[in-house]
Amino acid sequence: MKNIYLPKQVKVSEIKELSENVKLFRLDKKRVSFVPGQFVLIGVWGYGESPFGIASSPYEKSHIDIVVRNTGGNVTSALHNLKKNDEISVRGPYGNGFPLDFFEGKDLVMATGGCGIPPIASLVEYIIKNRNKFGNVYLLYGARTPEDILMKNEIKKWEKNISVILTIDKPHPNWDGHVGFVTDIISEIDVNPKRAVATMCGPGPMMNALEKVLRPLGISDRRIFVSMERKMQCGVGKCQHCAIGSKYVCTDGPVFNFDEIDKTWD
Ligand SMILES: Cc1cc2nc3c(=O)[nH]c(=O)nc-3n(C[C@H](O)[C@H](O)[C@H](O)COP(=O)(O)OP(=O)(O)OC[C@H]3O[C@@H](n4cnc5c(N)ncnc54)[C@H](O)[C@@H]3O)c2cc1C
Ligand code: FES
């Protein structure tokens, strides 16, 4: 019988510092197939396991990327201490991912902030590869300071195919773009509410604020998809650690329809 908890040992082939406390880890993992929005459980021997969204393109077959913010906790600190060629364990991919078939033929607004960018990065790569299947596509991304904007090189590439609107929280000497929260730039977008879908991924307060902005745009709750984060253990629907009401984030999510969940963010 297959052991669902059995991890694979993989090599970290590249580590990039994306900001003061965020690093990208490239993991040698061949023939992995996943849907954007799914996550993996990453283990560091002696420190434990934690879930992370997959940030690389689903068309990339030789590796996956994860982007990790160091929370100061066991696993993220241990990951940030790794060196190139160290080995870690990987389980998954797990979870449902974004409903790509439902998104097809529609305008799309992806709103994210802080470290909510990894699963969105993978979705953007998918959309760009299939650009003719989507209408107007916007990525709205807010960060605290210019230095906190992650995946800057990728963003430059994405801007050739989709509209990317960046904003930072407060005025900054190195920044002449938008200032304010993601909610303040939502007026910049041009979508047909009847054929638009939205994704939200980021800190709780941002989700609350966005909900007040997406609704007036006429995008119904049925067409808003939220990627949720909860503490996890098994990752496969057995331990109940990740429960939100009657749903498990690990198996029913992490992507939920907005009208499926109660709106109490951590
Ligand atoms: C589906 C999913 C995808 C995720 N994707 C990413 C990602 O791409 N990049 C990233 O940096 N982080 C991501 N996270 C959050 C990440 O799993 C936690 O930051 C990590 O588990 C912390 O582990 P730790 O041992 O370092 O810290 P701990 O000692 O466990 O906790 C340190 C701090 O982080 C908080 N925390 C711990 N686990 C979670 C969690 N699962 N969700 C929210 N807060 C948590 C704790 O409340 C505490 O404040 C994701 C979480 C989920 C559920
Ligand atoms: S992490 Fe165990 S049920 Fe979801």
Side-chain angles (χ1 to χ4, degrees):
M1 200 208 261
K2 196 179 163 204
N3 180 348
I4 51 172
Y5 299 107
L6 197 67
K8 284 217 165 62
Q9 196 163 327
V10 301
K11 196 199 277 180
V12 178
S13 58
E14 203 178 321
I15 302 175
K16 272 194 231 165
E17 206 160 311
L18 300 188
S19 78
E20 200 188 349
N21 64 348
V22 180
K23 287 185 180 176
L24 178 146
F25 299 85
R26 179 152 292 174
L27 313 178
D28 275 352
K29 199 164 191 307
K30 304 210 168 36
R31 296 182 297 283
V32 61
S33 122
F34 69 94
V35 176
Q38 283 193 292
F39 65 93
V40 280
L41 275 164
I42 299 291
V44 188
W45 311 114
Y47 293 91
E49 258 189 334
S50 274
F52 298 96
I54 304 176
S56 43
S57 165
Y59 292 100
E60 176 56 67
K61 294 298 173 213
S62 64
H63 64 255
I64 57 169
D65 292 338
I66 55 164
V67 170
V68 178
R69 183 171 66 90
N70 189 350
T71 64
N74 258 357
V75 177
T76 54
S77 300
L79 280 167
H80 273 244
N81 285 332
L82 290 180
K83 297 191 181 52
K84 192 177 163 178
N85 294 331
D86 279 348
E87 292 199 330
I88 56 173
S89 73
V90 181
R91 287 199 283 137
Y94 293 136
N96 55 0
F98 292 104
L100 302 174
D101 290 346
F102 184 73
F103 287 1
E104 271 189 25
K106 303 200 172 69
D107 290 346
L108 182 59
V109 182
M110 294 169 282
T112 188
C115 206
I117 194 79
I120 294 300
S122 157
L123 178 60
V124 170
E125 294 287 349
Y126 175 87
I127 289 166
I128 290 176
K129 192 87 176 174
N130 297 279
R131 189 64 189 89
N132 59 349
K133 294 184 180 167
F134 298 89
N136 294 343
V137 179
Y138 291 87
L139 170 63
L140 315 179
Y141 177 25
R144 240 166 17 94
T145 69
E147 288 72 36
D148 291 311
I149 296 175
L150 305 176
M151 310 190 85
K152 292 191 181 77
N153 292 339
E154 286 78 5
I155 289 173
K156 273 199 199 109
K157 197 183 72 184
W158 298 342
E159 280 171 331
K160 295 182 187 144
N161 293 285
I162 64 167
S163 306
V164 181
I165 308 177
L166 303 174
T167 184
I168 61 162
D169 290 359
K170 291 188 198 131
H172 192 283
N174 302 336
W175 183 255
D176 58 5
H178 290 280
V179 175
F181 298 119
V182 164
T183 43
D184 302 324
I185 52 175
I186 214 128
S187 57
E188 302 266 320
I189 66 175
D190 171 25
V191 291
N192 176 348
K194 290 208 174 66
R195 55 161 213 162
V197 290
T199 66
M200 294 199 295
C201 200
M206 189 194 100
M207 303 266 231
N208 266 335
L210 271 172
E211 143 182 29
K212 293 192 183 78
V213 179
L214 292 175
R215 284 230 183 88
L217 273 182
I219 304 180
S220 68
D221 285 5
R222 265 195 60 243
R223 288 164 176 262
I224 300 176
F225 296 85
V226 185
S227 181
M228 302 289 289
E229 291 194 4
R230 279 293 183 282
K231 284 203 165 210
M232 284 186 186
Q233 228 167 52
C234 70
V236 289
K238 306 282 182 201
C239 72
Q240 303 189 346
H241 259 76
C242 66
I244 308 182
S246 61
K247 309 263 179 196
Y248 292 154
V249 173
C250 65
T251 46
D252 300 313
V255 178
F256 291 93
N257 217 199
F258 203 55
D259 55 9
E260 270 183 287
I261 42 163
D262 71 5
K263 281 80 183 172
T264 44
W265 316 112
D266 278 348

